[in-house]
Amino acid sequence: MSWTDERVETLKKMWAEGQSASQIAKELGGVTRNAVIGKVHRLGLSNRVGGAGKPDEDLAEPVAAAAAQPEPAAAPRPAAAPRPAPQPQRVEPASEPVRAEREEPRVAPPVPQPARRVIVPAGQPLPPQPSANEISPEALASVREVEKKARRLTLMELTERTCKWPIGDPATEDFWFCGLPSQAGKPYCDAHVGVAFQPMSSRRDRRR
DNA sequence: CCCTGATTCGC
DNA sequence: GCGAATCAGG
């Protein structure tokens, strides 16, 4: 396999979207993640953020990070990888106490999720779903952003370490699983872990 | 062990 | 230019 224009385009696109080198390699086929990384460097589009600088680690979850930190944008970054800015989505971080301390797993993993509008096909009502106001705005914003990049896996494509968060309406074709890399030992990716597991205190405070 | 990107260097 | 091997890290 060689780097045809088309393949390079796919590479650029996926890299810009924050997909990992290994995911890009799988998509392209015929190349390893090393090849992808090597190409990325030769194309000069490595560092997804700040440009001519040092490695700048901690970019594991660019989206989640961006959504979590309002970041007053002090110094305008040099034109670099266009991070899709998370929707403003009127969020008032006002008195949001720190969450994500020690987890309290006893929260029932929300089943489906209030996609656009909750559509109950016809039959039985769906199991109780977490109302939006039980989820922190940060987590929600992060999830919405992440779900745009979901790998849209089918049930059969899920593995031990892919996010198993369901997206869409199971009663229609418009349904798939997130599929992004899951957090070690968890069934979901970072973003979805954020809405599935919440400290009890946080839940109580938010509930109406 | 799973994974990530970064770097080196023979080809 | 390419990418396997290796490195450094989560």
Side-chain angles (χ1 to χ4, degrees):
Chain A
M1 278 295 173
S2 60
W3 287 109
T4 62
D5 287 0
E6 189 178 17
R7 287 163 67 77
V8 171
E9 278 312 303
T10 302
L11 164 57
K12 285 180 178 175
K13 176 168 173 284
M14 292 183 73
W15 185 259
E17 287 173 355
Q19 302 279 308
S20 71
S22 60
Q23 282 177 5
I24 297 173
K26 275 189 234 165
E27 173 74 23
L28 291 173
V31 288
T32 64
R33 71 181 196 91
N34 279 315
V36 169
I37 291 174
K39 187 59 179 175
V40 161
H41 279 236
R42 267 172 258 123
L43 288 172
L45 35 73
S46 65
N47 268 320
R48 329 244 224 196
V49 195
K54 288 286 146 280
D56 199 2
E57 227 36 70
D58 87 343
L59 297 178
E61 226 58 16
V63 172
Q69 307 169 292
E71 174 98 276
R77 308 197 135 83
R83 269 280 76 65
Q87 305 307 309
Q89 189 227 32
R90 66 244 211 276
V91 168
E92 297 300 273
S95 59
E96 194 62 67
V98 183
R99 80 156 185 40
E101 341 164 326
R102 223 142 262 62
E103 294 175 4
E104 319 261 324
R106 292 309 82 162
V107 178
V111 188
Q113 141 258 30
R116 291 289 85 130
R117 295 290 182 269
V118 178
I119 302 174
V120 179
Q124 309 308 304
L126 296 171
Q129 296 180 32
S131 59
N133 62 25
E134 284 187 51
I135 302 172
S136 77
E138 298 93 328
L140 253 187
S142 172
V143 162
R144 291 195 173 123
E145 195 58 37
V146 162
E147 288 180 359
K148 292 177 189 169
K149 303 195 305 198
R151 293 173 62 201
R152 301 198 170 196
L153 300 186
T154 66
L155 183 60
M156 296 305 291
E157 293 172 320
L158 294 177
T159 75
E160 210 70 51
R161 30 190 131 27
T162 56
C163 178
K164 300 165 190 63
W165 190 271
I167 300 174
D169 186 342
T172 72
E173 291 302 302
D174 192 30
F175 178 73
W176 59 86
F177 293 89
C178 173
L180 292 173
S182 65
Q183 229 172 48
K186 300 258 170 45
Y188 307 126
C189 66
D190 288 336
H192 288 129
V193 160
V195 299
F197 301 99
Q198 298 178 49
M200 289 302 292
S201 58
S202 173
R203 298 189 93 218
R204 194 188 318 111
D205 293 348
R206 201 167 2 261
R207 180 150 31 212
R208 177 188 306 230

